[in-house]
């Protein structure tokens, strides 16, 4: 691992925690929310009534599954359906079931860094829709997509659902989309979910539920530092705080220190101080409008083929091609 002055880190997690907590203002990356406990908390978030994103996307896929499937397979051409970050596949199963029922030839290739997550998904699909040919791919998204070109000449369709793109600032989102563009060929498609700008209160409620599940999810990053790096964060000493800027469409999550406090993180040999009301920024969840998605597509060399929305335009799925 890389050196930071005189320090040697044994993982990217160690290095990013060190850098984030010694910066001003302090920050931690939301990608570290997702250990076993964080995955479970995110499942709970998706089941909350306030977290409208999952149901809106579910409804869009359900209402448009015939049209979407027809785009994926023109003239019965066999294709590979890749999925980045499939989770439990709840929404994807709508499309898988439709494709199977209509005898449209395809195989399903979920990509994930975690073999455990892939095994669980594969078992669930084998139980529920045994007709689907599942070929899991363990690895990072882009290395895996690039490698697949060498072994599989089929048309590619890539799913990236859940508005996961929104956890990236615009610049890294463009980098991500450029990488996606580089890993597809002419004729291939990308179906991606983008949560839309809407009544700011609806967004604040989705990220600050009264039951405290999102609070626990946000604080899990501190709990994870305690578990994995020997930290001594007291979770009750922090407020979960959500803000939403309706002009830029950016929702931001913070942990706010309720008191002046010192934190030790043993494996980093680090002691930090937090002033009363000092913040640790942990996540962005970007909300979009058509102009912003068009701009992102243009910046990354993608074209919008079509889009699907729910009846209140709360959420949209766009189809891109190269
Ligand atoms: C995974 N990601 C798209 C979620 C979101 O909406 O930003 C993560 C999340 N954070 C708080 N609630 C849900």
């Amino acid at each position: 691992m890389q050196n930071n002055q005189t320090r040697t880190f044994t993982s990217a997690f160690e290095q990013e925690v060190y850098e984030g907590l010694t910066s001003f203002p302090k920050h931690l990356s939301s990608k570290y929310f997702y250990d076993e406990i964080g995955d479970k908390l995110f499942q709970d978030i998706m089941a909350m009534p306030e977290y409208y994103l999952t149901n809106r996307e579910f409804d869009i896929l359900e209402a448009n599954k015939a049209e979407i499937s027809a785009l994926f397979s023109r003239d019965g051409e066999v294709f590979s359906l890749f999925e980045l970050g499939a989770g439990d596949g709840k929404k994807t199963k709508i499309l898988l079931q439709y494709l199977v029922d209509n005898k449209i030839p395809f195989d399903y290739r979920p990509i994930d860094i975690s073999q455990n997550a892939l095994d669980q998904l594969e078992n669930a699909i084998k139980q529920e829709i045994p007709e689907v040919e599942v070929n899991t791919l363990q690895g990072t998204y882009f290395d895996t997509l690039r490698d697949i070109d060498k072994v599989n000449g089929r048309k590619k369709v890539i799913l990236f659902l859940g508005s996961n793109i929104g956890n990236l600032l615009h610049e890294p989102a463009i980098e991500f989309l450029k990488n996606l563009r580089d890993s597809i060929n002419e004729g291939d498609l990308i179906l991606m979910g983008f949560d839309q700008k809407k009544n700011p209160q609806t967004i604040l409620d989705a990220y600050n539920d009264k039951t405290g599940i999102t609070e626990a999810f946000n604080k899990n990053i501190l709990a994870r530092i305690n578990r994995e790096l020997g930290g001594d964060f007291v979770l009750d000493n922090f407020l979960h705080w959500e803000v939403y800027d309706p002009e830029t469409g950016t929702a931001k999550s913070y942990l706010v220190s309720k008191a002046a406090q010192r934190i030790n993180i043993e494996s980093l040999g680090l002691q930090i101080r937090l002033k009363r009301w000092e913040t640790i920024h942990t996540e962005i969840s970007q909300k979009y409008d058509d102009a912003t998605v068009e701009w992102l597509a243009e910046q990354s060399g993608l074209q919008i083929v079509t889009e699907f929305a729910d009846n209140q335009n709360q959420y949209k799925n766009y189809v891109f091609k190269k």
Side-chain angles (χ1 to χ4, degrees), residues 6-22:
T6 57
R7 279 166 201 278
T8 308
F9 299 104
T10 57
S11 66
F13 181 45
E14 277 195 353
Q15 183 170 355
E16 288 190 42
V17 168
Y18 183 91
E19 288 172 359
L21 293 181
T22 53

Side-chain angles (χ1 to χ4, degrees), residues 34 42 45 51 53 162-164 167 207 214 217 283 285:
Y34 301 90
F42 185 52
I45 286 175
Y51 194 71
L53 288 80
S163 202
N164 285 337
N167 295 132
Y207 291 91
T214 311
F217 182 61
E283 188 180 46
S285 299

Side-chain angles (χ1 to χ4, degrees), residues 194-264:
F194 290 79
D195 193 18
Q196 299 289 298
K197 288 182 176 175
K198 57 180 64 63
N199 185 330
Q201 193 59 54
T202 309
I203 293 170
L204 286 175
D205 291 347
Y207 291 91
N208 194 14
D209 58 291
K210 293 200 173 58
T211 43
I213 299 171
T214 311
E215 175 181 351
F217 182 61
N218 193 11
K219 288 185 178 179
N220 184 49
I221 198 161
L222 302 183
R224 187 171 176 189
I225 294 171
N226 287 351
R227 284 190 294 272
E228 293 182 24
L229 306 182
D232 62 359
F233 282 103
V234 176
L235 272 47
D236 281 347
N237 288 347
F238 291 86
L239 282 179
H240 164 68
W241 199 257
E242 191 69 24
V243 297
Y244 174 65
D245 179 343
E247 185 180 352
T248 61
T250 309
K252 285 179 159 186
S253 302
Y254 292 93
L255 293 162
V256 183
S257 177
K258 290 200 260 182
Q261 45 180 325
R262 283 173 196 226
I263 313 293
N264 279 298

Side-chain angles (χ1 to χ4, degrees), residues 65-79:
K65 58 191 178 187
E67 201 178 324
I68 293 171
S69 302
L71 275 172
F72 288 179
S73 172
R74 292 240 157 92
D75 312 320
E77 174 195 5
V78 60
F79 68 96

Side-chain angles (χ1 to χ4, degrees), residues 125-136:
I125 290 171
K126 286 217 159 114
Q127 296 246 316
E128 291 169 50
I129 323 174
E131 301 87 344
V132 176
E133 181 189 340
V134 186
N135 294 303
T136 61

